[in-house]
Amino acid sequence: MSMTDAILYVPDMPALVAHLGDEHPTMLVRDETGEIIQPPVVTGFARTPAATNADGSALLVYARLRPAEIDQWRGMPHVTVLAEAPYQGKGTAQAVYAQVFADADALAAYDSVYDRAPREVPDGEGGTTTVTPPAMFGILAGA
C-alpha cells in the first residue's frame, strides 16, 4: 500500500475539534465518561507529536497517511496540507520539508506555529548560550 508523508497545519485547533466532534467523533480520544480529553488528541493515523504555537491554538503535525487518509485531510475544514510526498523511505522527510521551505505561504504558516529563531538559554554556570532549534520539528521513523 502506498503511503504519503505530509505536514498538516491547523490554524485553529478549537475549530477543528468542534468539527471533528460533530462530523467525525471517533477521531477524538475520549475519557471514560465519553468527554473529549484535554488537550484534545486526534486519532487514526501515524504522526509525530504536534508542534503548537505559544497558546496551543494552532499546530503542525508530520503524518504518514494511507491514500484515503490523505484525501480526507486534504478536504478537512480547518486543516491545510502544507506539503506532501509519497513515502519512499529515507529522504522522504527532506522532500516534504523542502516543499515547505520553498513556498513562502507554507513557510509563513509553518513559522507561525514552530519558532525556529535562535534563543538565549541559561548555561548552568551563570551565563547564557545561544540555542537554535532544528528547522524540522518532527520526522517519522524511516523518513
Side-chain angles (χ1 to χ4, degrees):
M1 171 189 319
S2 65
M3 302 289 279
T4 300
D5 277 20
I7 296 176
L8 307 179
Y9 167 61
V10 179
D12 186 346
M13 184 62 173
L16 176 61
V17 170
H19 172 76
L20 293 175
D22 292 342
E23 301 295 326
H24 306 280
T26 61
M27 292 180 74
L28 295 168
V29 176
R30 297 175 183 272
D31 66 18
E32 60 278 350
T33 68
E35 295 297 315
I36 299 167
I37 66 164
Q38 296 300 319
V41 175
V42 179
T43 65
F45 59 97
R47 61 178 175 77
T48 63
T52 60
N53 65 348
D55 69 6
S57 64
L59 65 85
L60 295 165
V61 66
Y62 187 102
R64 182 159 301 140
L65 304 164
R66 295 175 189 92
E69 293 168 338
I70 188 65
D71 289 341
Q72 179 181 33
W73 288 107
R74 280 185 197 124
M76 184 74 67
H78 313 291
V79 176
T80 300
V81 177
L82 293 184
E84 64 182 86
Y87 174 68
Q88 298 179 346
K90 189 172 175 86
T92 303
Q94 287 72 23
V96 172
Y97 278 98
Q99 289 176 41
V100 170
F101 298 140
D103 179 313
D105 292 334
L107 186 57
Y110 185 87
D111 285 341
S112 75
V113 174
Y114 182 67
D115 185 2
R116 299 178 296 135
R119 55 184 66 65
E120 297 295 317
V121 297
D123 64 6
E125 298 177 4
T128 61
T129 187
T130 302
V131 175
T132 302
M136 300 180 285
F137 72 90
I139 298 174
L140 288 169

